[in-house]
Amino acid sequence: MGQPQKPIAAEQQILSLGRVLQSLREEDDVDVLIETTISYLKEEFDYRLIWIALYDRLNHILFGKGGITPDRDTSFLHQRVVLSPGDLLEQVVIEQHPLGIADLQTEIRAAEWRKIAEKLQIQGTIILPIRYKDRCLGLLLLGSDRWGYLLTGEAKARLMMVLGELGALLYQHEMHKQQKQTKRSDEPLLELLENLRTLTNLNQRLEAGVQATHKFISPNRTNVYWFDREGRYFWCRMSNQLVKSDRNSSNQQAPGMTVQDLSDFYYALAVNQIVSIGDARSSLKSHFTAKLLQRLKVRSLLAAPIIWQKNLLGFLAVESNEPRIWTETDKNFVQSVANLISLVTPTESMESTIKQIQDDAQLTGQVAQGIYSEHDLQETLQSCAKRVLARLTATRFLLLQYDPEQNNYQFIYQSQPHNRRPLTFTLNNLKELDVQLLQRSTEAVEIENLDEDLRFFNWRSFLLESGVRSLLICKCTQSHTSAALLLITHETHRSWTTLEKDLLWAVSQQIGVIVRQWQLHNRTTQQQKTSQAFEQCLNILTKTQNSKIEVEKKHLEHTALEQIASILGCPLALLLSWSPGENLAEIIPGVIDNSQFGIFSDAFISIQSEALIQWALVTENYLTLKVDNLPPETRKWLNTPDKGQILVMALRTNADYEITGVVLLADYQERRWSQQNLNAIATLISQLAWWRRQKQINRLLESTTEELRQLNWYKHRRLEEIQRITALSLKQIHDLGIPANELTQMRYQLLLRQLDHTATSMSGMLKLENWQLHISWETMPIASLLKRSLERIENLLKQQKLWIGVHGLGQPIDEQESPKNSSLVRGVPSSSVQSAMAIAGDIVKIELVIHELLVTACNRSPIGGRIDIWCRRLDASKPSEAKQSSASVGTEHQTSLELSITYNGAIESQLLTELHQNTLKDVLAHSKLDQPPALHLLICQNLMLELGGELNFYQLPDNRVVSRLLLLLVNHDS
């Protein structure tokens, strides 16, 4: 008998479902619909807790509509629940999907329902959305006393059918309610339009608009605020509580406000945006919203701008003392009324507007007439500035022009009242954003409040210090560059109408013609000044050829070629350079800005056979020719387009002076260069020729000075040695007296021969080295040379109590010597084997260099210190690093001797840097090398280079100073 029960139970469930769906379709009351749904759920589903809530989409709130509980206490089922982020109820509302909870008592995301679940012993829970067309209309919560209690598939299907029907009915009910609440705005607007047509006075029309708006929306207060441009504030002109207002009235009920107090509100109205502030909603920023509501003493506000020809005349405001949500119908109605008011406003001042337009046209006509007449330009601007300032009620009339040389704007004309001083400063160049703003502008750019506006930021501080608070700015030309600008300023915050801005724009374009005339005049004057300056420069260079011009040669020529090429806009510029007496020219590239050009810089260009050079030499000025005329030999090292054009000019200074180069300019197409630019090119090339000659003269003088310094030092040291030897010999002769025996006579004759040799060497030096050094070629054992050098400083060693050792001439380097005798010299061999190592060169000069190094070491060493002389033979396979002189040609692969003198002494790091052979030296700058003893070291260093050796100075990590001397050794096989 169990089989027939199943279809009977299923049939009962289907019948029950059909009855409840029928009941829901026949009911219109929302509360009855919810009660019917709750009854069905109670009868058909085994749940102890049932709760249904409706969802308020605007406020994000659930309103409880009832249900059932185990203890029959349903008071909390009718409460309002505010949804918060992360809540389970909000999750179901947003996602619109059922949510199952195994144990509601342990769910932390449902704080309030968790407490209720603990109280009612509810565990398994299901939360289902009541939805229709992707719109959530409410929630259904079902709770059971069993853990994890869920719906079966058949039960869930019946439940979703009931909730779907309930959702559809709730949606229809909500739509019907909205349609009933929606007010029709077409009839009030048509009625208002009819009233505005019959009324003639603007205040009456404003009153009609205010009354119609107040009646339709029913706020606490409806006002029309009017905008005063010069004062930049709004005043209440019409209100439903005060029918007619005046800006000077003291009993106004609605307060006024300044633009400075509520800038965001003003700027929103200025761009024709409606401002809506309601319950927890605002179209402005929060701090401005609070400030505006506090200023108007309201809780809600709806404001629509009244604009005519882009000018803000005022706004229509609907104000409420309670938080209120403004509907789209309210916003549309207020905006429509504001637009109607803006249409009827101009009729009040139509005659004055027409008169003003006529005056403006007359003003622009007078400016144009003054430009093309023979009147003085300053007089024309003065008349124009006076009328513009009076028309715009402004303070200053400023005309600026951009100076590309100084990269700033300068005042070329300004007008101001008699009690104001002219502006004396210059304005910096504009930022890129401001330049683009002016380039795109087709009308005057307006800045109402310079204190807050960040446009033209580079000028703000200067203008604010001069009392400027607002301004209009126009570009005077239609070109992309803002070369000339017209500024109208005021000392207070204010705004200007579109008509006023259009007038200033028209005047600025007329003034642009004046500016262009000035530019042409100034350009002509500047060109004349430039030409005169070039001539004066050439005259000065001609008279002062001996002046010091320390500019590095390559950099000077490269810079000059860049300037020359920039005048003609040539992509290729080079210099064919040579020195007097040379047969080949060197290519010095200056500018190569196009891939169509190519230069074979390593080519050997013969001066006599190169056509371009010979053509330039026989042409007194510049020569222009086509690339087609170039011979094949020239095309081998100069690659240019076939349609190109070339200009050549010789570096000619004086008719008596030799030419040392030719400047070549090339372009990839045939061009007709202006005579003015060609004259400038010729002048610059001539100036380059004088610069190069001046540089050659300087180098010659510097070289001569260096040689004379070496000669002076050498002669001085030689004469000192001769004087010392002569004095010593004479003293010995004097000590001997008159020779009495044969031995004494022998010594006497030896001393006389020594004096004779000394006098002969002095005569040879004076004869062979009168004005330049004579490089001789001798050989001497290094041991003998060192012995002689150490004998010369014997007295200095005794005075300083110095110990000196020689290493590398056959003695062990690690040999220890007792410095009991401060003048004891160890390490110098005396045998023939040890002294076989000999050096080659000018022995006298090398000996003087070694003496100078030893004297420097003694003077810089502390008392009782030590000086070491290290000798080391270098491998013959290593070529010398020294620069060979004419005396050492062919000896670069001979064996070398490295002679190093080390001592513990102090030496300046700057001096070591300056003595480095690769360091560039500025002869005009102060240097330690200008005075002894550093000068002596420099002379020795340069002298060793001429002798075929090297002399370097450096400091070891243990602070010892090293003088490293590289000498040539005599090859025994030679």
Side-chain angles (χ1 to χ4, degrees):
M1 297 298 294
Q3 287 291 343
Q5 291 181 357
K6 289 185 178 180
I8 295 175
E11 183 179 355
Q12 288 178 354
Q13 292 175 356
I14 294 174
L15 292 175
S16 178
L17 177 61
R19 285 195 299 268
V20 71
L21 293 177
Q22 184 67 27
S23 300
L24 292 175
R25 294 189 188 101
E26 295 176 353
E27 187 58 53
D28 294 333
D29 193 313
V30 174
D31 293 335
V32 176
L33 290 173
I34 292 174
E35 290 178 1
T36 302
T37 304
I38 293 174
S39 299
Y40 172 75
L41 296 175
K42 181 179 179 182
E43 294 176 359
E44 297 296 328
F45 298 91
D46 186 15
Y47 284 98
R48 301 185 62 194
L49 176 62
I50 299 175
W51 179 59
I52 293 181
L54 298 182
Y55 174 58
D56 183 359
R57 183 168 50 86
L58 295 177
N59 298 306
H60 202 46
I61 296 174
L62 290 175
F63 292 95
K65 303 300 292 184
I68 61 172
T69 61
D71 58 0
R72 300 183 183 280
D73 181 13
T74 61
S75 58
F76 68 91
L77 299 179
H78 293 82
Q79 294 180 358
R80 185 176 70 167
V81 179
V82 178
L83 298 178
S84 57
D87 193 357
L88 287 178
L89 298 180
E90 187 195 45
Q91 179 180 342
V92 176
V93 168
I94 295 176
E95 296 181 357
Q96 298 186 24
H97 291 294
L99 179 64
I101 305 169
D103 188 356
L104 187 58
Q105 299 181 23
T106 61
E107 183 57 57
I108 61 175
R109 291 179 297 169
E112 296 296 332
W113 283 102
R114 180 181 178 185
K115 297 177 181 179
I116 297 173
E118 292 176 353
K119 177 182 178 182
L120 302 179
Q121 297 300 315
I122 300 298
Q123 289 188 338
T125 305
I126 299 177
I127 305 176
L128 301 100
I130 304 174
R131 54 188 295 273
Y132 182 77
K133 290 185 178 180
D134 295 331
R135 182 169 180 179
C136 185
L137 302 170
L139 292 181
L140 169 63
L141 187 144
L142 302 176
S144 172
D145 55 356
R146 287 180 290 180
W147 185 90
Y149 185 78
L150 299 176
L151 288 171
T152 63
E154 179 271 336
K156 184 178 180 181
R158 290 187 288 115
L159 179 59
M160 297 307 295
M161 292 178 65
V162 174
L163 293 181
E165 187 67 26
L166 178 61
L169 295 173
L170 291 176
Y171 179 79
Q172 293 178 3
H173 183 271
E174 184 176 344
M175 294 295 102
H176 180 68
K177 182 179 179 181
Q178 290 182 2
Q179 291 177 0
K180 291 179 61 177
Q181 292 178 349
T182 301
K183 294 177 288 186
R184 295 180 60 85
S185 60
D186 51 354
E187 295 181 1
L189 287 176
L190 291 174
E191 183 180 355
L192 174 60
L193 184 59
E194 181 64 22
N195 292 336
L196 294 177
R197 188 179 63 83
T198 58
L199 298 174
T200 58
N201 184 273
L202 179 59
N203 286 331
Q204 295 177 354
R205 294 172 175 173
L206 294 178
E207 178 184 356
V210 168
Q211 295 298 339
T213 304
H214 192 78
K215 180 180 179 181
F216 183 80
I217 299 179
S218 301
N220 294 97
R221 187 168 60 246
T222 303
N223 300 320
V224 170
Y225 291 87
W226 218 246
F227 181 51
D228 186 286
R229 290 191 171 274
E230 294 186 8
R232 292 187 86 239
Y233 69 91
F234 293 96
W235 58 282
C236 184
R237 182 167 184 174
M238 187 62 61
S239 174
N240 69 304
Q241 299 179 356
L242 187 63
V243 175
K244 185 178 180 180
S245 302
D246 183 75
R247 72 177 68 187
N248 299 322
S249 177
S250 61
N251 58 348
Q252 296 181 13
Q253 297 183 13
M257 66 191 79
T258 63
V259 171
Q260 188 173 0
D261 293 337
L262 301 169
S263 58
D264 274 23
F265 176 68
Y266 165 73
Y267 291 127
L269 296 175
V271 295
N272 199 20
Q273 292 182 2
I274 188 170
V275 177
S276 174
I277 303 176
D279 186 10
R281 289 177 176 81
S282 175
S283 58
L284 302 177
K285 296 180 180 179
S286 58
H287 61 285
F288 281 104
T289 298
K291 191 174 183 180
L292 179 60
L293 295 179
Q294 183 181 5
R295 185 70 181 85
L296 296 176
K297 298 179 181 180
V298 296
R299 300 287 298 279
S300 301
L301 173 68
L302 188 61
I306 303 173
I307 295 179
W308 173 253
Q309 291 184 345
K310 299 181 182 181
N311 297 319
L312 181 64
L313 305 179
F315 65 92
L316 173 63
V318 176
E319 306 166 7
S320 178
N321 296 330
E322 298 296 332
R324 179 169 173 176
I325 299 177
W326 305 106
T327 64
E328 290 298 326
T329 304
D330 297 336
K331 298 177 183 179
N332 293 335
F333 188 86
V334 173
Q335 192 170 21
S336 300
V337 174
N339 291 336
L340 290 176
I341 293 176
S342 66
L343 292 175
V344 299
T345 300
T347 58
E348 181 185 33
S349 56
M350 188 65 71
E351 293 183 0
S352 60
T353 302
I354 295 174
K355 180 63 167 59
Q356 191 64 66
I357 294 175
Q358 293 176 348
D359 294 342
D360 294 345
Q362 183 180 5
L363 172 60
T364 55
Q366 290 178 353
V367 174
Q369 184 179 2
I371 292 173
Y372 297 103
S373 64
E374 296 181 357
H375 296 293
D376 183 70
L377 296 180
Q378 290 285 341
E379 181 181 349
T380 301
L381 286 176
Q382 182 178 1
S383 175
C384 173
K386 182 178 179 181
R387 295 175 63 88
V388 169
L389 291 178
R391 168 66 176 87
L392 302 181
T393 62
T395 307
R396 294 182 183 272
F397 180 97
L398 306 174
L399 185 59
L400 288 77
Q401 186 176 10
Y402 177 70
D403 186 354
E405 294 183 359
Q406 302 185 17
N407 195 28
N408 59 17
Y409 282 89
Q410 299 181 357
F411 297 105
I412 58 177
Y413 181 82
Q414 52 182 315
S415 178
Q416 59 280 327
H418 297 293
N419 57 350
R420 300 290 189 276
R421 294 182 178 180
L423 303 181
T424 57
F425 52 83
T426 59
L427 295 174
N428 298 330
N429 191 17
L430 293 172
K431 291 183 177 296
E432 184 63 26
L433 290 177
D434 297 327
V435 173
Q436 294 178 2
L437 173 63
L438 289 175
Q439 289 177 356
R440 294 191 303 264
S441 64
T442 57
E443 62 178 8
V445 179
E446 178 184 21
I447 294 182
E448 302 179 15
N449 187 352
L450 191 59
D451 297 301
E452 298 178 355
D453 203 316
L454 298 181
R455 290 177 295 176
F456 306 101
F457 187 80
N458 289 3
W459 298 356
R460 290 180 71 251
S461 58
F462 299 98
L463 296 177
L464 289 174
E465 292 176 0
S466 302
V468 178
R469 293 298 177 268
S470 57
L471 58 92
L472 288 176
I473 179 170
C474 294
K475 61 178 182 180
C476 296
T477 59
Q478 293 295 331
S479 60
H480 293 292
T481 58
S482 304
L485 301 174
L486 176 61
L487 268 71
I488 300 297
T489 69
H490 202 277
E491 294 181 346
T492 60
H493 302 150
R494 62 158 296 177
S495 61
W496 285 270
T497 64
T498 302
L499 189 62
E500 293 172 335
K501 290 186 285 188
D502 292 342
L503 169 65
L504 186 64
W505 178 264
V507 171
S508 68
Q509 302 310 299
Q510 297 288 353
I511 293 179
V513 180
I514 299 177
V515 174
R516 281 192 291 272
Q517 292 178 357
W518 276 354
Q519 290 175 346
L520 293 175
H521 175 72
N522 293 337
R523 189 177 304 170
T524 303
T525 304
Q526 185 63 35
Q527 290 171 352
Q528 293 175 354
K529 292 181 179 179
T530 303
S531 178
Q532 294 174 1
F534 274 133
E535 294 176 3
Q536 293 174 1
C537 181
L538 292 176
N539 293 332
I540 293 174
L541 287 175
T542 304
K543 296 177 182 178
T544 59
Q545 295 180 8
N546 296 325
S547 62
K548 288 279 188 177
I549 305 177
E550 285 302 323
V551 182
E552 203 278 330
K553 179 182 177 182
K554 298 293 183 181
H555 176 70
L556 169 64
E557 292 168 344
H558 181 75
T559 304
L561 290 174
E562 285 183 342
Q563 295 177 354
I564 294 171
S566 64
I567 294 178
L568 297 182
C570 292
L572 175 65
L574 58 89
L575 173 64
L576 301 176
S577 174
W578 63 87
S579 298
E582 293 183 349
N583 297 323
L584 298 178
E586 176 189 6
I587 300 177
I588 300 178
V591 179
I592 303 178
D593 290 340
N594 196 303
S595 59
Q596 301 181 32
F597 294 93
I599 300 175
F600 185 54
S601 57
D602 296 332
F604 295 93
I605 302 176
S606 173
I607 299 176
Q608 298 298 328
S609 60
E610 175 54 50
L612 283 178
I613 296 179
Q614 293 302 316
W615 291 343
L617 293 179
V618 298
T619 305
E620 184 177 357
N621 205 339
Y622 54 83
L623 173 65
T624 60
L625 64 153
K626 298 180 181 180
V627 174
D628 297 335
N629 298 329
L630 295 179
E633 290 76 12
T634 304
R635 302 295 294 269
K636 293 180 180 179
W637 62 269
L638 179 62
N639 183 20
T640 59
D642 294 335
K643 296 182 179 180
Q645 184 168 304
I646 290 180
L647 181 145
V648 290
M649 181 174 176
L651 293 179
R652 183 177 286 102
T653 52
N654 193 292
D656 298 330
Y657 299 154
E658 292 187 18
I659 297 174
T660 60
V662 172
V663 173
L664 185 147
L665 303 175
D667 203 344
Y668 56 87
Q669 62 181 358
E670 295 184 14
R671 296 176 54 188
R672 184 176 181 179
W673 292 308
S674 65
Q675 189 62 41
Q676 182 178 1
N677 290 338
L678 290 175
N679 293 338
I681 287 295
T683 306
L684 286 177
I685 293 177
S686 178
Q687 189 174 16
L688 175 61
W690 281 106
W691 278 343
R692 281 171 54 86
R693 174 175 174 77
Q694 194 71 28
K695 188 64 179 178
Q696 292 172 352
I697 293 175
N698 290 341
R699 286 198 302 270
L700 178 61
L701 293 177
E702 290 171 4
S703 176
T704 304
T705 302
E706 183 178 348
E707 292 179 359
L708 291 176
R709 283 180 174 178
Q710 295 175 0
L711 180 64
N712 179 68
W713 170 84
Y714 166 65
K715 286 186 176 181
H716 185 75
R717 293 304 188 197
R718 283 295 306 273
L719 290 174
E720 284 181 348
E721 177 64 12
I722 293 172
Q723 189 272 338
R724 185 185 70 84
I725 295 175
T726 304
L728 181 61
S729 300
L730 289 175
K731 182 177 181 302
Q732 292 175 355
I733 294 174
H734 180 72
D735 292 339
L736 290 176
I738 299 174
N741 53 46
E742 185 177 353
L743 178 62
T744 304
Q745 289 180 356
M746 184 182 300
R747 295 186 61 188
Y748 186 78
Q749 292 176 356
L750 180 63
L751 291 175
L752 289 178
R753 282 198 302 269
Q754 186 174 0
L755 287 176
D756 183 62
H757 176 72
T758 301
T760 302
S761 64
M762 184 185 303
S763 300
M765 178 194 70
L766 296 175
K767 180 180 180 180
L768 297 176
E769 299 177 317
N770 187 15
W771 286 109
Q772 63 183 4
L773 293 176
H774 175 72
I775 306 300
S776 62
W777 189 258
E778 305 168 281
T779 62
M780 175 177 282
I782 185 62
S784 301
L785 182 61
L786 291 178
K787 199 170 197 177
R788 288 171 52 175
S789 299
L790 293 176
E791 289 177 355
R792 295 179 62 180
I793 62 170
E794 182 69 21
N795 293 333
L796 189 58
L797 292 175
K798 291 180 179 180
Q799 294 175 4
Q800 298 288 107
K801 298 179 181 180
L802 299 174
W803 186 92
I804 188 167
V806 181
H807 313 275
L809 294 180
Q811 299 290 342
I813 295 179
D814 56 352
E815 178 182 358
Q816 302 294 329
E817 298 292 342
S818 174
K820 293 181 180 179
N821 185 358
S822 63
S823 63
L824 183 60
V825 179
R826 303 292 298 174
V828 181
S830 59
S831 65
S832 60
V833 176
Q834 295 168 337
S835 60
M837 190 164 51
I839 62 172
D842 195 324
I843 301 301
V844 175
K845 296 180 177 60
I846 294 176
E847 181 181 354
L848 291 177
V849 171
I850 295 176
H851 173 71
E852 188 70 37
L853 298 179
L854 291 175
V855 170
T856 301
C858 293
N859 292 333
R860 291 183 177 271
S861 298
I863 297 177
R866 170 173 176 163
I867 300 175
D868 292 291
I869 301 177
W870 304 85
C871 298
R872 183 168 67 98
R873 182 193 297 267
L874 297 182
D875 189 359
S877 62
K878 297 181 180 180
S880 174
E881 298 176 358
K883 296 181 179 179
Q884 305 300 322
S885 66
S886 59
S888 60
V889 175
T891 65
E892 58 190 39
H893 294 297
Q894 292 186 6
T895 306
S896 301
L897 174 69
E898 183 185 61
L899 180 67
S900 300
I901 302 175
T902 63
Y903 58 91
N904 290 311
I907 189 170
E908 299 85 350
S909 59
Q910 181 181 359
L911 177 58
L912 290 176
T913 303
E914 293 180 351
L915 285 173
H916 194 278
Q917 61 180 1
N918 293 326
T919 304
L920 295 177
K921 303 177 181 64
D922 185 1
V923 297
L924 297 180
H926 176 71
S927 173
K928 294 182 178 294
L929 302 180
D930 294 335
Q931 299 294 332
L935 176 60
H936 295 168
L937 297 178
L938 177 62
I939 293 173
C940 291
Q941 190 179 52
N942 295 332
L943 181 59
M944 286 309 303
L945 290 176
E946 295 185 14
L947 296 177
E950 280 188 21
L951 177 58
N952 297 314
F953 304 91
Y954 55 94
Q955 197 165 19
L956 297 177
D958 58 359
N959 294 328
R960 285 186 299 165
V961 180
V962 179
S963 301
R964 178 180 177 272
L965 188 62
L966 196 65
L967 303 172
L968 296 179
L969 283 175
V970 177
N971 192 347
H972 294 286
D973 297 333
S974 61

